Amino acid sequence: MEMLLMLPDEIVLEIFSWLPATAIQKFKSASDFFRTMPLEERHFVLKQSHNALLRKDPCFFLQPNSCKKYNAINEFHHFPSEKTSSGVPHNFLKFLENYPACRILASSNGLILGCSTKKNNQTELFISNPSTQSWFLIPTLNHLKEYPDSEINIVFECHSKDFMLFLFEVPAEWASSCYIVKFYSQEEDCFPYLHKKSPYFRPYIMAYTIEDGESRMLRVPKEARRGSHDLSCKMGIYKWGKVTSLDGSMCLVRLRKCIFTIWVLTDYKSCKWKRVLKIRVRAMGIIEEEPITVKGFIVMNGDCLVFATKKKIYRYGLSCENYRVIEEISEHGFDDDEVCFTCYSDTLHLCGDGATTLPLLQQSY
């Protein structure tokens, strides 16, 4: 602490810009000197948010995969080595618990995209920063007004200055072969949307370039297509490679009959994949009673597979440093429910113009 006091303010701010928001708040509460630092000015906030993109996500939210409208439950978990430096305030977790059927849809660069279903069946979307305890209500999208009971498929991408929403609209007609993707940002209500008809029922990946509006279909590996009709087959695509790497790619993860298989896309143009892992769950070194059932999974930070069984959450290394090393993270309370993960990293990122203080102290909504 004494060494920091001896440094010029510019150097101290540079050091602080690399810290998680939780650690910054602890410094501010522990010292009058740090309370006088301009840690809430826009320039510092943008720099801290930008630097956070170069760090690994240290935490995640866990919730049931099928959210009940009036009984949404969220759990928050850390990686074991990150409990003291990162996190969310306890009163934010209480807000998630008390706000009507509050569900986390996505998270990016410290901001959380949340959804709430009121008693009148009205769907409310909002963006919140748990660290700064601020939020920004998003006008209800027309699709959700028209079909309030429809499943919300949305992707949230946030950079140091702006954020964007990708809404996948599922048509009301049963067994329709048409889907719609719409793009929303802070600056514009809606970008031109992608409208695609597909006669295919086998798995494939659709890639869309926002800058020029071009799209293409990426074939998945033949091995991944085999048995994809099996009810036990679950697949997902995730970022692959180090957070600081400029040449990162994506990976395809398939879980079928308690076997994890992971492929990495090595060439985008020719659509070439390389299998990097194939292993039975019970061969990972887990000590649990048989049968071991996986209830949900995700690849975090491009280098580790995180998955939940009926009672516990594990991390399985995929990179050179911790390749095939299994680590128990914690227990969870969802038992037989299928679960989904939402990565989280605490930052000072602004929620946008018009953001207000999160209604943490309200007891009823």
Side-chain angles (χ1 to χ4, degrees), residues 33-223:
F33 170 76
F34 292 113
R35 275 196 289 270
T36 63
M37 298 290 289
L39 301 178
E40 296 179 357
E41 291 187 359
R42 184 177 180 86
H43 174 74
F44 177 79
V45 169
L46 291 176
K47 187 174 183 61
Q48 193 269 347
S49 301
H50 172 75
N51 290 345
L53 294 171
L54 305 176
R55 298 196 309 266
K56 294 183 176 182
D57 291 330
C59 331
F60 56 88
F61 290 90
L62 191 71
Q63 51 193 354
N65 205 26
S66 56
C67 174
K68 298 177 182 177
K69 278 189 173 293
Y70 303 111
N71 189 26
I73 302 173
N74 298 276
E75 288 186 359
F76 183 73
H77 298 270
H78 302 79
F79 286 141
S81 60
E82 303 287 349
K83 286 188 177 180
T84 58
S85 60
S86 298
V88 295
H90 177 70
N91 52 5
F92 180 78
L93 297 177
K94 294 296 292 183
F95 164 77
L96 293 179
E97 180 181 337
N98 295 327
Y99 205 64
C102 190
R103 176 176 174 80
I104 295 174
L105 300 178
S107 174
S108 180
N109 199 213
L111 296 185
I112 285 175
L113 174 64
C115 171
S116 173
T117 304
K118 301 299 185 65
K119 290 184 178 180
N120 59 1
N121 210 33
Q122 178 185 354
T123 299
E124 179 182 78
L125 296 177
F126 63 87
I127 290 173
S128 173
N129 186 324
S131 297
T132 62
Q133 299 184 8
S134 57
W135 77 337
F136 175 78
L137 291 174
I138 302 174
T140 304
L141 308 178
N142 291 332
H143 177 73
L144 298 181
K145 288 181 179 178
E146 189 174 356
Y147 306 105
D149 294 323
S150 64
E151 183 179 356
I152 301 177
N153 297 298
I154 199 165
V155 176
F156 181 46
E157 186 68 25
C158 181
H159 301 289
S160 57
K161 294 183 179 180
D162 193 13
F163 57 78
M164 189 178 297
L165 304 179
F166 305 74
L167 176 65
F168 293 76
E169 292 187 1
V170 181
E173 298 84 4
W174 182 80
S176 172
S177 60
C178 173
Y179 65 86
I180 298 174
V181 185
K182 291 186 177 179
F183 306 90
Y184 299 84
S185 77
Q186 281 181 286
E187 300 178 356
E188 297 187 42
D189 290 335
C190 179
F191 287 103
Y193 57 81
L194 167 68
H195 185 282
K196 180 71 178 178
K197 292 186 177 180
S198 173
Y200 303 103
F201 291 94
R202 64 178 58 186
Y204 64 94
I205 299 170
M206 179 61 70
Y208 181 77
T209 306
I210 298 174
E211 288 78 9
D212 56 20
E214 293 186 358
S215 61
R216 62 167 295 196
M217 188 174 72
L218 301 179
R219 299 186 308 273
V220 301
K222 289 183 179 180
E223 185 182 359

Side-chain angles (χ1 to χ4, degrees), residues 294-328:
V294 176
K295 293 299 183 178
F297 61 86
I298 190 175
V299 172
M300 288 187 62
N301 302 312
D303 67 356
C304 66
L305 175 66
V306 180
F307 62 95
T309 60
K310 288 184 178 181
K311 296 290 185 181
K312 299 181 179 181
I313 307 169
Y314 298 91
R315 173 167 61 176
Y316 191 73
L318 301 174
S319 64
C320 297
E321 301 94 21
N322 58 359
Y323 187 61
R324 296 206 176 198
V325 175
I326 190 76
E327 177 185 22
E328 181 181 326

